[in-house]
Amino acid sequence: MEPSLPHILIAEREFLIALDAEYLIKAALDCRISLLRPEQLDQWDAAALADIDLCLLDVPLDATRITARIERLIEARVPLLFTTVGEIHRDGVAGFEVIPVARKPYDGETLVALVKARLRERPQPREETDQN
Protein backbone atom coordinates (compact mmCIF):
# COMPACT_ATOMS: atom_id res chain seq x y z
CA MET A 1 0.00 0.00 0.00
CA GLU A 2 1.08 3.53 -0.64
CA PRO A 3 2.26 5.60 2.33
CA SER A 4 0.21 8.54 0.95
CA LEU A 5 -2.98 6.65 1.80
CA PRO A 6 -4.66 7.66 5.06
CA HIS A 7 -3.53 5.57 8.02
CA ILE A 8 -6.29 4.57 10.44
CA LEU A 9 -5.46 2.97 13.75
CA ILE A 10 -8.10 0.81 15.40
CA ALA A 11 -7.31 0.43 19.12
CA GLU A 12 -9.82 -2.15 20.28
CA ARG A 13 -9.87 -4.69 23.12
CA GLU A 14 -11.88 -7.25 21.13
CA PHE A 15 -10.15 -8.54 17.98
CA LEU A 16 -13.37 -9.53 16.17
CA ILE A 17 -14.86 -6.07 16.75
CA ALA A 18 -11.66 -4.52 15.35
CA LEU A 19 -11.94 -6.76 12.28
CA ASP A 20 -15.57 -5.68 11.81
CA ALA A 21 -14.58 -2.00 11.89
CA GLU A 22 -11.68 -2.67 9.51
CA TYR A 23 -13.97 -4.47 7.05
CA LEU A 24 -16.58 -1.69 7.07
CA ILE A 25 -14.00 1.08 6.67
CA LYS A 26 -11.95 -0.66 3.95
CA ALA A 27 -15.12 -1.36 1.96
CA ALA A 28 -15.74 2.40 1.78
CA LEU A 29 -12.27 3.99 1.84
CA ASP A 30 -8.88 3.40 0.27
CA CYS A 31 -6.68 3.47 3.36
CA ARG A 32 -4.12 1.68 5.51
CA ILE A 33 -5.39 0.20 8.76
CA SER A 34 -3.46 -1.02 11.79
CA LEU A 35 -5.11 -3.02 14.56
CA LEU A 36 -3.90 -3.12 18.15
CA ARG A 37 -5.07 -3.32 21.73
CA PRO A 38 -5.60 0.12 23.37
CA GLU A 39 -2.80 -0.35 25.94
CA GLN A 40 -0.31 -0.92 23.09
CA LEU A 41 -0.79 2.74 22.14
CA ASP A 42 1.20 3.69 25.23
CA GLN A 43 4.33 2.26 23.56
CA TRP A 44 4.01 4.39 20.41
CA ASP A 45 6.34 7.38 20.23
CA ALA A 46 5.54 10.79 18.75
CA ALA A 47 7.00 9.89 15.34
CA ALA A 48 4.80 6.80 15.04
CA LEU A 49 1.72 8.75 16.15
CA ALA A 50 2.45 11.47 13.58
CA ASP A 51 1.64 8.94 10.82
CA ILE A 52 -1.88 8.31 12.17
CA ASP A 53 -4.71 10.14 10.39
CA LEU A 54 -7.42 8.79 12.69
CA CYS A 55 -7.54 6.59 15.76
CA LEU A 56 -10.67 4.66 16.67
CA LEU A 57 -10.21 4.26 20.41
CA ASP A 58 -12.24 1.79 22.43
CA VAL A 59 -13.55 3.47 25.59
CA PRO A 60 -14.31 1.24 28.58
CA LEU A 61 -17.29 1.96 30.82
CA ASP A 62 -14.93 3.67 33.29
CA ALA A 63 -13.28 6.16 30.91
CA THR A 64 -11.27 7.74 33.74
CA ARG A 65 -8.84 4.81 33.41
CA ILE A 66 -7.76 6.03 29.96
CA THR A 67 -7.77 9.80 30.43
CA ALA A 68 -3.96 10.00 30.21
CA ARG A 69 -3.99 7.97 26.97
CA ILE A 70 -6.63 10.24 25.43
CA GLU A 71 -4.76 13.38 26.48
CA ARG A 72 -1.51 12.02 25.02
CA LEU A 73 -3.20 11.34 21.67
CA ILE A 74 -4.78 14.80 21.64
CA GLU A 75 -1.40 16.35 22.45
CA ALA A 76 0.12 14.41 19.52
CA ARG A 77 -2.69 15.85 17.33
CA VAL A 78 -4.10 12.44 16.46
CA PRO A 79 -7.73 12.80 15.35
CA LEU A 80 -9.91 10.58 17.54
CA LEU A 81 -13.17 8.72 17.21
CA PHE A 82 -14.29 6.93 20.35
CA THR A 83 -15.95 3.52 20.16
CA THR A 84 -17.95 1.91 22.95
CA VAL A 85 -20.64 -0.56 23.86
CA GLY A 86 -21.62 1.50 26.89
CA GLU A 87 -24.85 3.46 26.96
CA ILE A 88 -23.13 5.78 29.43
CA HIS A 89 -20.98 7.28 26.65
CA ARG A 90 -23.78 7.64 24.11
CA ASP A 91 -23.54 11.44 24.25
CA GLY A 92 -19.77 11.60 24.64
CA VAL A 93 -17.01 10.91 27.12
CA ALA A 94 -16.84 13.27 30.12
CA GLY A 95 -14.18 15.89 29.53
CA PHE A 96 -13.92 15.00 25.82
CA GLU A 97 -17.47 15.70 24.62
CA VAL A 98 -16.27 17.20 21.31
CA ILE A 99 -15.00 13.80 20.20
CA PRO A 100 -17.80 11.75 18.62
CA VAL A 101 -18.65 8.23 19.73
CA ALA A 102 -19.43 5.28 17.45
CA ARG A 103 -21.60 2.70 19.20
CA LYS A 104 -21.00 -1.03 18.87
CA PRO A 105 -22.24 -3.10 17.20
CA TYR A 106 -21.44 -0.80 14.30
CA ASP A 107 -23.91 0.49 11.80
CA GLY A 108 -21.74 0.57 8.66
CA GLU A 109 -23.09 3.83 7.23
CA THR A 110 -22.81 5.66 10.54
CA LEU A 111 -19.28 4.38 11.22
CA VAL A 112 -18.03 5.32 7.74
CA ALA A 113 -19.65 8.78 7.95
CA LEU A 114 -17.96 9.43 11.32
CA VAL A 115 -14.61 8.16 10.00
CA LYS A 116 -14.82 10.40 6.92
CA ALA A 117 -15.74 13.41 9.06
CA ARG A 118 -12.82 12.90 11.49
CA LEU A 119 -10.14 11.65 9.07
CA ARG A 120 -7.19 14.00 8.64
CA GLU A 121 -6.57 14.78 4.98
CA ARG A 122 -3.18 13.74 3.63
CA PRO A 123 -1.53 16.11 1.17
CA GLN A 124 -1.59 14.58 -2.29
CA PRO A 125 1.75 14.13 -4.08
CA ARG A 126 2.45 16.85 -6.57
CA GLU A 127 2.12 15.77 -10.17
CA GLU A 128 5.23 16.07 -12.27
CA THR A 129 4.80 18.27 -15.31
CA ASP A 130 6.84 17.77 -18.44
CA GLN A 131 8.93 20.87 -19.07
CA ASN A 132 9.89 19.90 -22.67
Side-chain angles (χ1 to χ4, degrees), residues 112-130:
V112 169
L114 287 168
V115 166
K116 286 180 177 180
R118 298 292 295 173
L119 189 63
R120 177 181 14 235
E121 297 254 345
R122 280 199 173 234
Q124 295 302 312
R126 295 174 56 184
E127 289 186 28
E128 299 290 323
T129 56
D130 189 5

Side-chain angles (χ1 to χ4, degrees), residues 6-11 25 29 32-34 49 51-57 77-82 99-100 111-112 114-120 122:
H7 189 185
I8 298 173
L9 182 63
I10 300 175
I25 294 167
L29 298 170
R32 298 176 289 149
I33 294 183
S34 298
L49 290 175
D51 182 53
I52 303 302
D53 299 300
L54 178 65
C55 176
L56 277 69
L57 180 61
R77 294 199 159 109
V78 175
L80 289 170
L81 173 60
F82 293 142
I99 300 171
L111 178 64
V112 169
L114 287 168
V115 166
K116 286 180 177 180
R118 298 292 295 173
L119 189 63
R120 177 181 14 235
R122 280 199 173 234

Side-chain angles (χ1 to χ4, degrees), residues 63-81:
T64 60
R65 296 183 301 149
I66 65 164
T67 300
R69 183 176 298 138
I70 296 169
E71 289 172 346
R72 182 171 170 265
L73 291 167
I74 291 171
E75 185 177 302
R77 294 199 159 109
V78 175
L80 289 170
L81 173 60

